[in-house]
Amino acid sequence: MAGIAALLLAALVFVCVAIGITVWRDALDRLAHPPERTADAALVLGNRAYLRGKPNPCLTGRVDAALALASAGRVQRLVFSGGVDSEDGRIEAEVMRAHAVQSGYAGPMLLEPASQSTRENLALSTAVLQAAGVKSVIVVTEPYHLWRAQRLAHAGGFDRLFDVQYAAAPTRCWLRWGMAFKGALREPLAIINNAAHGYLR
């Protein structure tokens, strides 16, 4: 029994490492190749709202990347997606909007304040985007997150409703830790979990 358990653990470690390498390579490619076309909106995917009593730089960094797109004239509006953070009770979308306003952004913003996962970010933002007449979207999140986000978008039909591009946000978390922050362990396990539930293609 112990031998079987050891083999299963070794197999899980091997799969996680293989996924981690794939995600890492995709992250570097995304950073090297930002979106080329303009879009109606930037959809910023949520993350933990606060970290050590301050707005989470992993989240606000995603907003900063969307602000850069807006400043460059690449997107016409910002859409923030993220529900209640179970750790501190704050709504991620509202924290993102507040950061955008504090950063001087005065353009149009939309909120999706109910989602609790990447899959829900995409699914629940669909109605918000369609109601605003959005046809093209740049999905903004951290580099390690984009491999899974793209596949969830495809599996859920998001990329058939909109012209979708993806932008890697080089947040302070990414610049400091790279894949070691969440991409090395959490992201491979999230990918395995999503695949097991049939959410990935």
Side-chain angles (χ1 to χ4, degrees), residues 28-110:
L28 295 179
D29 184 64
R30 300 285 188 183
L31 287 164
H33 299 92
E36 297 180 350
R37 306 185 304 278
T38 59
D40 297 332
L43 172 61
V44 187
L45 305 186
N47 197 345
R48 180 177 176 180
Y50 268 57
L51 187 65
R52 290 188 286 276
K54 297 180 180 180
N56 182 6
C58 308
L59 180 63
T60 57
R62 298 181 185 190
V63 178
D64 291 338
L67 292 173
L69 290 171
S71 178
R74 306 301 300 277
V75 296
Q76 300 175 13
R77 70 187 68 202
L78 305 183
V79 183
F80 303 123
S81 176
V84 176
D85 188 324
S86 61
E87 296 187 39
D88 59 26
R90 299 176 190 269
I91 296 176
E92 295 169 2
E94 293 181 354
V95 173
M96 289 191 277
R97 176 176 60 182
H99 178 73
V101 172
Q102 290 169 4
S103 299
Y105 180 72
M109 293 180 282
L110 299 171

Side-chain angles (χ1 to χ4, degrees), residues 138-158:
I138 297 177
V139 175
V140 181
T141 188
E142 284 182 275
Y144 70 82
H145 193 202
L146 283 172
W147 190 91
R148 180 163 58 100
Q150 181 177 6
R151 280 148 186 81
L152 287 169
H154 182 67
F158 186 85

Side-chain angles (χ1 to χ4, degrees), residues 3 5 26-27 42 46 48 64 71 80 123 127 143 149 160 162 167 184 188 191 194 196 200:
D26 183 75
R48 180 177 176 180
D64 291 338
S71 178
F80 303 123
R160 290 185 288 280
F162 308 99
I191 289 169
N194 285 174
L200 297 181

Side-chain angles (χ1 to χ4, degrees), residues 7 10 31 46 56 135 169 186 188:
L7 286 174
L31 287 164
N56 182 6
K135 303 295 184 183
R186 182 185 182 280

